Amino acid sequence: MTNQRADIHNNTPQFLDVSDLQSIFGVGRSKARLMMDTLPSIRVGSKDYITATALNTFIAENNGIPVKWPKRKR
């Protein structure tokens, strides 16, 4: 029974949000938000999430996460 629970837990995708990206990459909220906008995320209510697997796949395919700061409006 314990092995079945471990298998189920290991197969459950881990969902990451903006605060998780902040801690993983050591960036501020603004840059983490720009990263989330670039990633293939899903929206639940007012929050965006990405699975850990999708994040790793995206980084491997694109050699990182391309982030562009928007032009400043004056």
Side-chain angles (χ1 to χ4, degrees):
M1 180 93 168
T2 306
N3 289 339
Q4 285 180 325
R5 286 186 182 181
D7 289 342
I8 291 170
H9 181 69
N10 290 337
N11 292 333
T12 305
Q14 180 185 4
F15 291 95
L16 306 170
D17 62 0
V18 173
S19 62
D20 294 325
L21 293 180
Q22 282 181 266
S23 62
I24 291 170
F25 295 106
V27 296
R29 180 151 179 83
S30 296
K31 191 169 280 187
R33 181 71 247 160
L34 287 172
M35 291 166 66
M36 187 63 84
D37 290 342
T38 303
L39 296 167
S41 58
I42 58 170
R43 191 159 190 89
V44 178
S46 62
K47 291 187 81 174
D48 291 321
Y49 295 95
I50 185 168
T51 62
T53 307
L55 176 63
N56 292 333
T57 303
F58 186 88
I59 290 172
E61 289 175 353
N62 297 295
N63 297 323
I65 303 172
V67 175
K68 288 186 180 180
W69 288 101
K71 287 192 173 190
R72 189 173 181 182
K73 297 178 182 176
R74 294 184 180 211

Short mmCIF file of all heavy atoms in Angstrom, two decimals:
data_model
loop_
_atom_site.label_atom_id
_atom_site.label_comp_id
_atom_site.label_asym_id
_atom_site.label_seq_id
_atom_site.Cartn_x
_atom_site.Cartn_y
_atom_site.Cartn_z
N MET A 1 0.83 -1.20 0.00
CA MET A 1 0.00 0.00 0.00
C MET A 1 0.87 1.26 0.00
O MET A 1 0.57 2.21 -0.68
CB MET A 1 -0.92 -0.04 1.23
CG MET A 1 -1.81 1.15 1.33
SD MET A 1 -3.36 0.78 0.54
CE MET A 1 -4.31 2.13 1.10
N THR A 2 1.94 1.24 0.74
CA THR A 2 2.82 2.41 0.81
C THR A 2 3.46 2.68 -0.55
O THR A 2 3.60 3.82 -0.94
CB THR A 2 3.91 2.20 1.88
OG1 THR A 2 3.28 1.87 3.10
CG2 THR A 2 4.73 3.44 2.05
N ASN A 3 3.85 1.63 -1.28
CA ASN A 3 4.46 1.82 -2.60
C ASN A 3 3.48 2.43 -3.58
O ASN A 3 3.87 3.23 -4.42
CB ASN A 3 4.97 0.48 -3.14
CG ASN A 3 6.19 0.00 -2.39
OD1 ASN A 3 6.88 0.80 -1.75
ND2 ASN A 3 6.46 -1.29 -2.44
N GLN A 4 2.20 2.05 -3.49
CA GLN A 4 1.20 2.63 -4.38
C GLN A 4 1.05 4.12 -4.11
O GLN A 4 0.96 4.91 -5.03
CB GLN A 4 -0.16 1.96 -4.19
CG GLN A 4 -0.25 0.59 -4.81
CD GLN A 4 -1.60 -0.04 -4.59
OE1 GLN A 4 -2.22 0.17 -3.54
NE2 GLN A 4 -2.05 -0.80 -5.57
N ARG A 5 1.04 4.52 -2.85
CA ARG A 5 0.93 5.94 -2.52
C ARG A 5 2.14 6.71 -3.01
O ARG A 5 2.02 7.81 -3.52
CB ARG A 5 0.76 6.13 -1.02
CG ARG A 5 -0.60 5.76 -0.53
CD ARG A 5 -0.75 6.11 0.91
NE ARG A 5 -2.06 5.68 1.37
CZ ARG A 5 -2.50 5.88 2.59
NH1 ARG A 5 -1.73 6.47 3.48
NH2 ARG A 5 -3.70 5.48 2.92
N ALA A 6 3.32 6.11 -2.88
CA ALA A 6 4.53 6.77 -3.35
C ALA A 6 4.50 6.93 -4.87
O ALA A 6 4.88 7.98 -5.39
CB ALA A 6 5.76 5.98 -2.93
N ASP A 7 4.03 5.89 -5.58
CA ASP A 7 3.93 5.97 -7.03
C ASP A 7 2.94 7.05 -7.46
O ASP A 7 3.20 7.80 -8.40
CB ASP A 7 3.51 4.62 -7.62
CG ASP A 7 4.61 3.58 -7.52
OD1 ASP A 7 5.77 3.96 -7.33
OD2 ASP A 7 4.28 2.38 -7.63
N ILE A 8 1.80 7.12 -6.79
CA ILE A 8 0.80 8.13 -7.12
C ILE A 8 1.37 9.52 -6.88
O ILE A 8 1.23 10.43 -7.69
CB ILE A 8 -0.50 7.92 -6.32
CG1 ILE A 8 -1.19 6.63 -6.80
CG2 ILE A 8 -1.44 9.10 -6.45
CD1 ILE A 8 -2.34 6.18 -5.94
N HIS A 9 2.04 9.69 -5.75
CA HIS A 9 2.61 11.00 -5.42
C HIS A 9 3.70 11.39 -6.42
O HIS A 9 3.77 12.54 -6.84
CB HIS A 9 3.18 11.00 -4.00
CG HIS A 9 3.76 12.31 -3.59
ND1 HIS A 9 2.98 13.41 -3.37
CD2 HIS A 9 5.04 12.69 -3.39
CE1 HIS A 9 3.75 14.43 -3.05
NE2 HIS A 9 5.01 14.02 -3.04
N ASN A 10 4.52 10.44 -6.83
CA ASN A 10 5.59 10.74 -7.78
C ASN A 10 5.06 11.04 -9.17
O ASN A 10 5.67 11.77 -9.93
CB ASN A 10 6.58 9.57 -7.85
CG ASN A 10 7.39 9.44 -6.57
OD1 ASN A 10 7.55 10.40 -5.82
ND2 ASN A 10 7.90 8.25 -6.32
N ASN A 11 3.91 10.47 -9.53
CA ASN A 11 3.33 10.70 -10.85
C ASN A 11 2.48 11.97 -10.91
O ASN A 11 2.11 12.41 -11.99
CB ASN A 11 2.49 9.50 -11.28
CG ASN A 11 3.36 8.29 -11.54
OD1 ASN A 11 4.52 8.42 -11.88
ND2 ASN A 11 2.78 7.11 -11.37
N THR A 12 2.16 12.56 -9.77
CA THR A 12 1.36 13.76 -9.75
C THR A 12 2.23 14.95 -10.17
O THR A 12 3.30 15.14 -9.61
CB THR A 12 0.81 14.03 -8.32
OG1 THR A 12 0.09 12.87 -7.91
CG2 THR A 12 -0.10 15.24 -8.30
N PRO A 13 1.79 15.71 -11.18
CA PRO A 13 2.63 16.84 -11.61
C PRO A 13 2.71 17.91 -10.53
O PRO A 13 1.74 18.18 -9.84
CB PRO A 13 1.92 17.37 -12.86
CG PRO A 13 0.54 16.86 -12.76
CD PRO A 13 0.58 15.60 -11.95
N GLN A 14 3.87 18.49 -10.41
CA GLN A 14 4.08 19.55 -9.44
C GLN A 14 3.81 20.87 -10.16
O GLN A 14 4.44 21.16 -11.17
CB GLN A 14 5.50 19.52 -8.91
CG GLN A 14 5.78 20.61 -7.91
CD GLN A 14 7.24 20.62 -7.50
OE1 GLN A 14 8.04 19.86 -8.00
NE2 GLN A 14 7.58 21.50 -6.60
N PHE A 15 2.90 21.67 -9.65
CA PHE A 15 2.56 22.94 -10.26
C PHE A 15 3.33 24.07 -9.59
O PHE A 15 3.34 24.16 -8.36
CB PHE A 15 1.06 23.19 -10.18
CG PHE A 15 0.27 22.26 -11.06
CD1 PHE A 15 -0.28 21.11 -10.56
CD2 PHE A 15 0.10 22.56 -12.40
CE1 PHE A 15 -0.99 20.24 -11.38
CE2 PHE A 15 -0.60 21.72 -13.23
CZ PHE A 15 -1.15 20.55 -12.72
N LEU A 16 3.96 24.89 -10.39
CA LEU A 16 4.75 26.01 -9.90
C LEU A 16 4.06 27.32 -10.25
O LEU A 16 3.50 27.46 -11.33
CB LEU A 16 6.14 25.99 -10.55
CG LEU A 16 6.93 24.67 -10.42
CD1 LEU A 16 8.16 24.73 -11.30
CD2 LEU A 16 7.29 24.41 -8.99
N ASP A 17 4.12 28.29 -9.33
CA ASP A 17 3.56 29.61 -9.62
C ASP A 17 4.69 30.64 -9.63
O ASP A 17 5.87 30.29 -9.58
CB ASP A 17 2.44 29.97 -8.65
CG ASP A 17 2.92 30.07 -7.21
OD1 ASP A 17 4.11 29.85 -6.94
OD2 ASP A 17 2.08 30.38 -6.34
N VAL A 18 4.34 31.91 -9.71
CA VAL A 18 5.33 32.98 -9.82
C VAL A 18 6.27 33.00 -8.62
O VAL A 18 7.48 33.15 -8.78
CB VAL A 18 4.62 34.35 -10.00
CG1 VAL A 18 5.62 35.49 -9.95
CG2 VAL A 18 3.87 34.39 -11.32
N SER A 19 5.74 32.80 -7.43
CA SER A 19 6.60 32.81 -6.25
C SER A 19 7.59 31.65 -6.26
O SER A 19 8.72 31.78 -5.77
CB SER A 19 5.77 32.80 -4.96
OG SER A 19 4.99 31.63 -4.89
N ASP A 20 7.19 30.52 -6.83
CA ASP A 20 8.12 29.40 -6.96
C ASP A 20 9.24 29.73 -7.93
O ASP A 20 10.41 29.40 -7.69
CB ASP A 20 7.39 28.14 -7.43
CG ASP A 20 6.38 27.63 -6.42
OD1 ASP A 20 6.66 27.74 -5.20
OD2 ASP A 20 5.32 27.13 -6.84
N LEU A 21 8.91 30.39 -9.04
CA LEU A 21 9.93 30.80 -10.00
C LEU A 21 10.91 31.78 -9.35
O LEU A 21 12.11 31.74 -9.63
CB LEU A 21 9.30 31.43 -11.25
CG LEU A 21 8.48 30.51 -12.15
CD1 LEU A 21 7.93 31.29 -13.34
CD2 LEU A 21 9.29 29.33 -12.61
N GLN A 22 10.39 32.68 -8.52
CA GLN A 22 11.25 33.62 -7.81
C GLN A 22 12.29 32.88 -6.98
O GLN A 22 13.48 33.22 -7.03
CB GLN A 22 10.42 34.50 -6.86
CG GLN A 22 9.68 35.62 -7.51
CD GLN A 22 8.91 36.42 -6.47
OE1 GLN A 22 7.74 36.15 -6.24
NE2 GLN A 22 9.58 37.35 -5.84
N SER A 23 11.86 31.90 -6.24
CA SER A 23 12.79 31.19 -5.36
C SER A 23 13.73 30.27 -6.15
O SER A 23 14.90 30.14 -5.80
CB SER A 23 12.04 30.40 -4.29
OG SER A 23 11.22 29.44 -4.89
N ILE A 24 13.25 29.65 -7.22
CA ILE A 24 14.09 28.74 -8.02
C ILE A 24 15.22 29.50 -8.70
O ILE A 24 16.37 29.08 -8.67
CB ILE A 24 13.25 28.00 -9.07
CG1 ILE A 24 12.31 27.01 -8.39
CG2 ILE A 24 14.13 27.28 -10.08
CD1 ILE A 24 11.27 26.40 -9.32
N PHE A 25 14.88 30.65 -9.33
CA PHE A 25 15.86 31.37 -10.13
C PHE A 25 16.49 32.55 -9.40
O PHE A 25 17.38 33.20 -9.93
CB PHE A 25 15.22 31.85 -11.44
CG PHE A 25 14.79 30.72 -12.32
CD1 PHE A 25 13.46 30.39 -12.47
CD2 PHE A 25 15.72 29.96 -13.00
CE1 PHE A 25 13.06 29.33 -13.27
CE2 PHE A 25 15.35 28.90 -13.80
CZ PHE A 25 14.01 28.59 -13.94
N GLY A 26 16.02 32.87 -8.20
CA GLY A 26 16.60 33.96 -7.42
C GLY A 26 16.37 35.32 -8.05
O GLY A 26 17.29 36.14 -8.09
N VAL A 27 15.17 35.55 -8.56
CA VAL A 27 14.83 36.82 -9.20
C VAL A 27 13.68 37.47 -8.45
O VAL A 27 13.05 36.86 -7.60
CB VAL A 27 14.44 36.61 -10.69
CG1 VAL A 27 15.61 36.08 -11.49
CG2 VAL A 27 13.24 35.70 -10.83
N GLY A 28 13.41 38.71 -8.79
CA GLY A 28 12.31 39.43 -8.18
C GLY A 28 10.98 39.07 -8.83
O GLY A 28 10.90 38.32 -9.80
N ARG A 29 9.92 39.64 -8.28
CA ARG A 29 8.57 39.32 -8.76
C ARG A 29 8.35 39.76 -10.21
O ARG A 29 7.73 39.04 -10.99
CB ARG A 29 7.53 39.96 -7.85
CG ARG A 29 6.10 39.67 -8.30
CD ARG A 29 5.13 39.66 -7.14
NE ARG A 29 3.79 39.40 -7.59
CZ ARG A 29 3.31 38.16 -7.83
NH1 ARG A 29 4.07 37.13 -7.63
NH2 ARG A 29 2.07 37.99 -8.23
N SER A 30 8.87 40.92 -10.58
CA SER A 30 8.67 41.42 -11.95
C SER A 30 9.28 40.49 -12.99
O SER A 30 8.65 40.15 -13.99
CB SER A 30 9.27 42.82 -12.10
OG SER A 30 8.61 43.73 -11.28
N LYS A 31 10.52 40.07 -12.75
CA LYS A 31 11.17 39.18 -13.71
C LYS A 31 10.51 37.80 -13.71
O LYS A 31 10.33 37.20 -14.76
CB LYS A 31 12.65 39.05 -13.41
CG LYS A 31 13.40 38.34 -14.55
CD LYS A 31 14.89 38.44 -14.40
CE LYS A 31 15.33 39.79 -14.88
NZ LYS A 31 16.77 39.96 -14.92
N ALA A 32 10.10 37.32 -12.55
CA ALA A 32 9.41 36.03 -12.49
C ALA A 32 8.08 36.10 -13.24
O ALA A 32 7.68 35.15 -13.91
CB ALA A 32 9.18 35.62 -11.04
N ARG A 33 7.39 37.23 -13.16
CA ARG A 33 6.12 37.42 -13.88
C ARG A 33 6.37 37.41 -15.39
O ARG A 33 5.60 36.82 -16.16
CB ARG A 33 5.50 38.76 -13.43
CG ARG A 33 4.19 39.12 -14.03
CD ARG A 33 3.08 38.25 -13.50
NE ARG A 33 2.62 37.45 -14.62
CZ ARG A 33 1.94 36.32 -14.51
NH1 ARG A 33 1.62 35.84 -13.36
NH2 ARG A 33 1.57 35.65 -15.56
N LEU A 34 7.45 38.07 -15.84
CA LEU A 34 7.79 38.07 -17.27
C LEU A 34 8.14 36.66 -17.74
O LEU A 34 7.77 36.25 -18.84
CB LEU A 34 8.97 39.01 -17.54
CG LEU A 34 8.68 40.49 -17.46
CD1 LEU A 34 9.97 41.29 -17.55
CD2 LEU A 34 7.73 40.91 -18.57
N MET A 35 8.83 35.90 -16.88
CA MET A 35 9.15 34.53 -17.22
C MET A 35 7.88 33.70 -17.37
O MET A 35 7.75 32.93 -18.32
CB MET A 35 10.06 33.92 -16.14
CG MET A 35 11.44 34.52 -16.10
SD MET A 35 12.36 34.11 -14.61
CE MET A 35 12.57 32.37 -14.79
N MET A 36 6.95 33.87 -16.46
CA MET A 36 5.70 33.10 -16.51
C MET A 36 4.91 33.45 -17.76
O MET A 36 4.26 32.59 -18.35
CB MET A 36 4.86 33.36 -15.26
CG MET A 36 3.64 32.48 -15.15
SD MET A 36 3.97 30.72 -15.01
CE MET A 36 4.26 30.56 -13.27
N ASP A 37 4.96 34.71 -18.18
CA ASP A 37 4.26 35.12 -19.41
C ASP A 37 4.86 34.45 -20.63
O ASP A 37 4.17 34.19 -21.61
CB ASP A 37 4.30 36.64 -19.57
CG ASP A 37 3.43 37.35 -18.55
OD1 ASP A 37 2.54 36.71 -17.96
OD2 ASP A 37 3.64 38.57 -18.35
N THR A 38 6.17 34.17 -20.61
CA THR A 38 6.85 33.52 -21.72
C THR A 38 6.60 32.02 -21.75
O THR A 38 6.51 31.43 -22.81
CB THR A 38 8.38 33.77 -21.62
OG1 THR A 38 8.61 35.18 -21.58
CG2 THR A 38 9.12 33.19 -22.78
N LEU A 39 6.45 31.42 -20.59
CA LEU A 39 6.30 29.96 -20.47
C LEU A 39 4.90 29.50 -20.87
O LEU A 39 3.94 30.26 -20.77
CB LEU A 39 6.59 29.54 -19.03
CG LEU A 39 8.01 29.78 -18.55
CD1 LEU A 39 8.10 29.62 -17.04
CD2 LEU A 39 8.97 28.84 -19.25
N PRO A 40 4.79 28.24 -21.28
CA PRO A 40 3.48 27.67 -21.62
C PRO A 40 2.70 27.31 -20.34
O PRO A 40 2.60 26.16 -19.96
CB PRO A 40 3.83 26.43 -22.44
CG PRO A 40 5.17 26.01 -21.91
CD PRO A 40 5.87 27.28 -21.54
N SER A 41 2.17 28.32 -19.70
CA SER A 41 1.50 28.13 -18.41
C SER A 41 0.00 27.98 -18.59
O SER A 41 -0.55 28.26 -19.65
CB SER A 41 1.80 29.31 -17.49
OG SER A 41 1.37 30.52 -18.09
N ILE A 42 -0.65 27.54 -17.51
CA ILE A 42 -2.11 27.46 -17.49
C ILE A 42 -2.61 28.45 -16.45
O ILE A 42 -1.92 28.74 -15.48
CB ILE A 42 -2.61 26.03 -17.17
CG1 ILE A 42 -2.06 25.55 -15.83
CG2 ILE A 42 -2.24 25.06 -18.27
CD1 ILE A 42 -2.68 24.28 -15.34
N ARG A 43 -3.79 28.98 -16.67
CA ARG A 43 -4.36 29.97 -15.76
C ARG A 43 -5.51 29.33 -14.99
O ARG A 43 -6.42 28.77 -15.57
CB ARG A 43 -4.84 31.18 -16.54
CG ARG A 43 -5.19 32.35 -15.67
CD ARG A 43 -5.16 33.63 -16.52
NE ARG A 43 -5.26 34.81 -15.72
CZ ARG A 43 -4.23 35.45 -15.18
NH1 ARG A 43 -3.03 35.00 -15.41
NH2 ARG A 43 -4.39 36.52 -14.47
N VAL A 44 -5.44 29.45 -13.67
CA VAL A 44 -6.49 28.96 -12.79
C VAL A 44 -6.95 30.15 -11.96
O VAL A 44 -6.22 30.63 -11.11
CB VAL A 44 -6.00 27.81 -11.87
CG1 VAL A 44 -7.10 27.36 -10.95
CG2 VAL A 44 -5.44 26.67 -12.69
N GLY A 45 -8.15 30.62 -12.27
CA GLY A 45 -8.63 31.83 -11.60
C GLY A 45 -7.78 33.01 -12.02
O GLY A 45 -7.69 33.33 -13.19
N SER A 46 -7.11 33.63 -11.07
CA SER A 46 -6.27 34.78 -11.39
C SER A 46 -4.78 34.46 -11.27
O SER A 46 -3.95 35.36 -11.28
CB SER A 46 -6.61 35.94 -10.45
OG SER A 46 -6.33 35.57 -9.11
N LYS A 47 -4.44 33.18 -11.15
CA LYS A 47 -3.04 32.78 -11.01
C LYS A 47 -2.61 31.90 -12.17
O LYS A 47 -3.41 31.15 -12.71
CB LYS A 47 -2.83 32.01 -9.70
CG LYS A 47 -2.97 32.88 -8.46
CD LYS A 47 -2.59 32.13 -7.23
CE LYS A 47 -1.09 32.15 -7.12
NZ LYS A 47 -0.58 31.58 -5.89
N ASP A 48 -1.33 32.01 -12.54
CA ASP A 48 -0.74 31.17 -13.58
C ASP A 48 0.10 30.09 -12.93
O ASP A 48 0.77 30.33 -11.92
CB ASP A 48 0.16 32.00 -14.50
CG ASP A 48 -0.61 32.96 -15.36
OD1 ASP A 48 -1.69 32.57 -15.82
OD2 ASP A 48 -0.15 34.09 -15.57
N TYR A 49 0.07 28.91 -13.53
CA TYR A 49 0.85 27.78 -13.05
C TYR A 49 1.51 27.09 -14.22
O TYR A 49 1.01 27.12 -15.34
CB TYR A 49 -0.03 26.75 -12.33
CG TYR A 49 -0.66 27.26 -11.07
CD1 TYR A 49 -1.94 27.79 -11.07
CD2 TYR A 49 0.03 27.21 -9.86
CE1 TYR A 49 -2.52 28.27 -9.91
CE2 TYR A 49 -0.55 27.68 -8.69
CZ TYR A 49 -1.82 28.20 -8.73
OH TYR A 49 -2.39 28.68 -7.57
N ILE A 50 2.65 26.45 -13.95
CA ILE A 50 3.32 25.61 -14.93
C ILE A 50 3.80 24.37 -14.20
O ILE A 50 4.19 24.45 -13.03
CB ILE A 50 4.49 26.35 -15.62
CG1 ILE A 50 5.09 25.48 -16.72
CG2 ILE A 50 5.54 26.78 -14.62
CD1 ILE A 50 6.04 26.21 -17.63
N THR A 51 3.76 23.23 -14.87
CA THR A 51 4.27 22.02 -14.24
C THR A 51 5.80 22.04 -14.26
O THR A 51 6.41 22.66 -15.14
CB THR A 51 3.77 20.74 -14.94
OG1 THR A 51 4.24 20.74 -16.28
CG2 THR A 51 2.26 20.64 -14.91
N ALA A 52 6.40 21.37 -13.31
CA ALA A 52 7.86 21.30 -13.25
C ALA A 52 8.41 20.63 -14.50
O ALA A 52 9.44 21.04 -15.03
CB ALA A 52 8.29 20.56 -11.99
N THR A 53 7.70 19.64 -15.01
CA THR A 53 8.12 18.94 -16.22
C THR A 53 8.10 19.87 -17.43
O THR A 53 9.04 19.89 -18.22
CB THR A 53 7.21 17.73 -16.50
OG1 THR A 53 7.16 16.92 -15.32
CG2 THR A 53 7.68 16.91 -17.67
N ALA A 54 7.04 20.66 -17.57
CA ALA A 54 6.94 21.60 -18.69
C ALA A 54 8.02 22.66 -18.60
O ALA A 54 8.59 23.08 -19.62
CB ALA A 54 5.56 22.25 -18.71
N LEU A 55 8.35 23.10 -17.40
CA LEU A 55 9.41 24.09 -17.21
C LEU A 55 10.74 23.52 -17.65
O LEU A 55 11.48 24.16 -18.41
CB LEU A 55 9.47 24.53 -15.75
CG LEU A 55 10.59 25.50 -15.37
CD1 LEU A 55 10.45 26.81 -16.11
CD2 LEU A 55 10.62 25.73 -13.88
N ASN A 56 11.06 22.32 -17.21
CA ASN A 56 12.33 21.69 -17.59
C ASN A 56 12.41 21.45 -19.09
O ASN A 56 13.45 21.67 -19.70
CB ASN A 56 12.51 20.36 -16.84
CG ASN A 56 12.73 20.59 -15.36
OD1 ASN A 56 13.23 21.63 -14.94
ND2 ASN A 56 12.33 19.62 -14.56
N THR A 57 11.31 21.01 -19.69
CA THR A 57 11.28 20.77 -21.13
C THR A 57 11.48 22.08 -21.90
O THR A 57 12.25 22.13 -22.86
CB THR A 57 9.94 20.13 -21.54
OG1 THR A 57 9.77 18.93 -20.81
CG2 THR A 57 9.89 19.85 -23.03
N PHE A 58 10.80 23.16 -21.47
CA PHE A 58 10.93 24.46 -22.14
C PHE A 58 12.37 24.97 -22.07
O PHE A 58 12.92 25.44 -23.06
CB PHE A 58 9.98 25.48 -21.50
CG PHE A 58 9.95 26.80 -22.22
CD1 PHE A 58 9.07 27.00 -23.27
CD2 PHE A 58 10.80 27.83 -21.86
CE1 PHE A 58 9.04 28.21 -23.94
CE2 PHE A 58 10.78 29.04 -22.53
CZ PHE A 58 9.89 29.23 -23.57
N ILE A 59 12.99 24.85 -20.91
CA ILE A 59 14.37 25.32 -20.74
C ILE A 59 15.32 24.52 -21.62
O ILE A 59 16.22 25.08 -22.25
CB ILE A 59 14.78 25.25 -19.25
CG1 ILE A 59 14.01 26.32 -18.46
CG2 ILE A 59 16.28 25.46 -19.09
CD1 ILE A 59 14.18 26.22 -16.97
N ALA A 60 15.12 23.21 -21.69
CA ALA A 60 15.98 22.36 -22.51
C ALA A 60 15.83 22.67 -24.00
O ALA A 60 16.83 22.73 -24.73
CB ALA A 60 15.67 20.89 -22.25
N GLU A 61 14.60 22.89 -24.45
CA GLU A 61 14.36 23.15 -25.87
C GLU A 61 14.81 24.54 -26.30
O GLU A 61 15.21 24.74 -27.44
CB GLU A 61 12.87 23.00 -26.19
CG GLU A 61 12.39 21.57 -26.14
CD GLU A 61 10.89 21.44 -26.34
OE1 GLU A 61 10.19 22.48 -26.39
OE2 GLU A 61 10.42 20.29 -26.44
N ASN A 62 14.73 25.52 -25.40
CA ASN A 62 15.02 26.91 -25.76
C ASN A 62 16.32 27.43 -25.16
O ASN A 62 16.60 28.63 -25.25
CB ASN A 62 13.87 27.81 -25.32
CG ASN A 62 12.59 27.46 -26.04
OD1 ASN A 62 12.49 27.62 -27.24
ND2 ASN A 62 11.61 26.96 -25.30
N ASN A 63 17.09 26.57 -24.53
CA ASN A 63 18.35 26.97 -23.88
C ASN A 63 18.14 28.10 -22.88
O ASN A 63 18.92 29.04 -22.81
CB ASN A 63 19.41 27.37 -24.91
CG ASN A 63 19.78 26.21 -25.80
OD1 ASN A 63 19.86 25.08 -25.34
ND2 ASN A 63 19.99 26.48 -27.07
N GLY A 64 17.06 28.03 -22.13
CA GLY A 64 16.75 29.04 -21.12
C GLY A 64 15.37 29.62 -21.34
O GLY A 64 14.56 29.08 -22.10
N ILE A 65 15.12 30.73 -20.66
CA ILE A 65 13.83 31.40 -20.78
C ILE A 65 14.11 32.82 -21.29
O ILE A 65 14.66 33.64 -20.57
CB ILE A 65 13.10 31.47 -19.43
CG1 ILE A 65 12.91 30.07 -18.85
CG2 ILE A 65 11.74 32.17 -19.58
CD1 ILE A 65 12.39 30.06 -17.44
N PRO A 66 13.76 33.08 -22.55
CA PRO A 66 14.02 34.43 -23.10
C PRO A 66 13.06 35.46 -22.50
O PRO A 66 11.85 35.33 -22.62
CB PRO A 66 13.78 34.26 -24.60
CG PRO A 66 12.82 33.11 -24.70
CD PRO A 66 13.12 32.21 -23.53
N VAL A 67 13.62 36.44 -21.80
CA VAL A 67 12.81 37.47 -21.16
C VAL A 67 13.22 38.82 -21.73
O VAL A 67 14.39 39.16 -21.77
CB VAL A 67 13.02 37.48 -19.62
CG1 VAL A 67 12.28 38.61 -18.98
CG2 VAL A 67 12.60 36.15 -19.03
N LYS A 68 12.24 39.57 -22.18
CA LYS A 68 12.48 40.93 -22.67
C LYS A 68 11.70 41.90 -21.79
O LYS A 68 10.51 41.70 -21.54
CB LYS A 68 12.01 41.10 -24.11
CG LYS A 68 12.86 40.40 -25.12
CD LYS A 68 12.40 40.75 -26.53
CE LYS A 68 13.26 40.05 -27.56
NZ LYS A 68 12.82 40.37 -28.90
N TRP A 69 12.39 42.92 -21.32
CA TRP A 69 11.71 43.94 -20.55
C TRP A 69 10.92 44.80 -21.52
O TRP A 69 11.41 45.17 -22.59
CB TRP A 69 12.72 44.82 -19.82
CG TRP A 69 13.37 44.13 -18.67
CD1 TRP A 69 14.61 43.58 -18.66
CD2 TRP A 69 12.81 43.91 -17.38
NE1 TRP A 69 14.86 43.01 -17.44
CE2 TRP A 69 13.78 43.20 -16.64
CE3 TRP A 69 11.61 44.22 -16.79
CZ2 TRP A 69 13.57 42.82 -15.32
CZ3 TRP A 69 11.40 43.84 -15.47
CH2 TRP A 69 12.36 43.15 -14.75
N PRO A 70 9.67 45.11 -21.20
CA PRO A 70 8.89 45.97 -22.09
C PRO A 70 9.48 47.38 -22.10
O PRO A 70 10.11 47.82 -21.15
CB PRO A 70 7.49 45.97 -21.47
CG PRO A 70 7.65 45.48 -20.08
CD PRO A 70 8.92 44.69 -20.02
N LYS A 71 9.29 48.07 -23.24
CA LYS A 71 9.77 49.44 -23.33
C LYS A 71 9.05 50.31 -22.32
O LYS A 71 7.86 50.17 -22.10
CB LYS A 71 9.57 49.99 -24.73
CG LYS A 71 10.51 49.40 -25.75
CD LYS A 71 10.47 50.19 -27.03
CE LYS A 71 11.56 49.66 -27.94
NZ LYS A 71 11.74 50.52 -29.10
N ARG A 72 9.80 51.23 -21.78
CA ARG A 72 9.24 52.15 -20.80
C ARG A 72 8.41 53.22 -21.50
O ARG A 72 8.85 53.83 -22.45
CB ARG A 72 10.39 52.79 -20.03
CG ARG A 72 9.95 53.59 -18.87
CD ARG A 72 11.16 54.03 -18.09
NE ARG A 72 10.74 54.78 -16.93
CZ ARG A 72 11.56 55.32 -16.08
NH1 ARG A 72 12.85 55.19 -16.26
NH2 ARG A 72 11.10 55.99 -15.06
N LYS A 73 7.21 53.43 -20.99
CA LYS A 73 6.34 54.46 -21.55
C LYS A 73 6.57 55.76 -20.80
O LYS A 73 6.47 55.80 -19.58
CB LYS A 73 4.87 54.03 -21.46
CG LYS A 73 4.57 52.81 -22.25
CD LYS A 73 3.13 52.39 -22.11
CE LYS A 73 2.86 51.13 -22.88
NZ LYS A 73 1.51 50.65 -22.71
N ARG A 74 6.88 56.77 -21.53
CA ARG A 74 7.13 58.08 -20.90
C ARG A 74 6.11 59.08 -21.35
O ARG A 74 5.60 59.12 -22.36
CB ARG A 74 8.51 58.59 -21.24
CG ARG A 74 9.57 57.71 -20.62
CD ARG A 74 10.93 58.30 -20.91
NE ARG A 74 11.92 57.43 -20.31
CZ ARG A 74 13.06 57.85 -19.84
NH1 ARG A 74 13.39 59.10 -19.91
NH2 ARG A 74 13.91 57.02 -19.32
#
